[in-house]
């Protein structure tokens, strides 16, 4: 892999760049990342779908939680879907 700051080639086991001293982030090295985040437009689409169909957010959130890169976004999606589920439940029950 290569240092993301100075471009020096490093051993795959390196945790700190030997040239510039910056910490090596495995996710941002030249190796294929484990997964990618949802793009802004994908997030907008997912949140939009979740607002009308909360189960979409629950399913996509749970799938996203298994992906390191999507964890934060998945947590946001889950929070929104749980909130919307409660709102819809309140509406259905006439509260
Ligand atoms: Zn470096």
């Amino acid at each position: 892999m290569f240092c993301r700051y100075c471009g020096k080639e490093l051993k795959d086991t390196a945790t700190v760049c030997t040239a510039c001293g910056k910490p090596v982030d495995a996710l941002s090295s030249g190796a294929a990342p484990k997964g990618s985040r949802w793009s802004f437009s994908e997030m907008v689409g997912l949140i939009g779908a979740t607002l009308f169909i909360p189960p979409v957010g629950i399913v996509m959130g749970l799938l996203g939680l298994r992906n390191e890169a999507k964890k934060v976004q998945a947590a946001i999606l889950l929070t929104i879907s749980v909130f919307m589920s409660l709102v819809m439940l309140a509406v259905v029950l006439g509260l």
Side-chain angles (χ1 to χ4, degrees):
M1 61 181 173
F2 296 89
C3 173
R4 61 185 287 204
Y5 298 100
C6 67
K8 181 178 168 58
E9 187 167 7
L10 303 167
K11 287 179 183 171
D12 284 346
T13 53
T15 53
V16 177
C17 176
T18 52
C20 68
K22 293 261 172 57
V24 176
D25 181 356
L27 277 179
S28 57
S29 71
K34 282 181 189 170
S36 55
R37 291 166 166 230
W38 283 310
S39 69
F40 180 75
S41 56
E42 282 172 329
M43 267 308 271
V44 169
L46 284 169
I47 289 173
T50 301
L51 290 178
F52 293 99
I53 316 165
V56 170
I58 293 174
V59 171
M60 292 306 289
L62 289 176
L63 286 174
L65 278 181
R66 295 158 68 182
N67 186 320
E68 199 64 39
K70 290 188 179 75
K71 251 179 187 170
V72 174
Q73 293 176 315
I76 293 170
L77 212 55
L78 273 176
T79 305
I80 294 171
S81 57
V82 167
F83 177 75
M84 286 310 294
S85 299
L86 291 175
V87 168
M88 287 196 172
L89 199 65
V91 169
V92 168
L93 296 177
L95 297 175

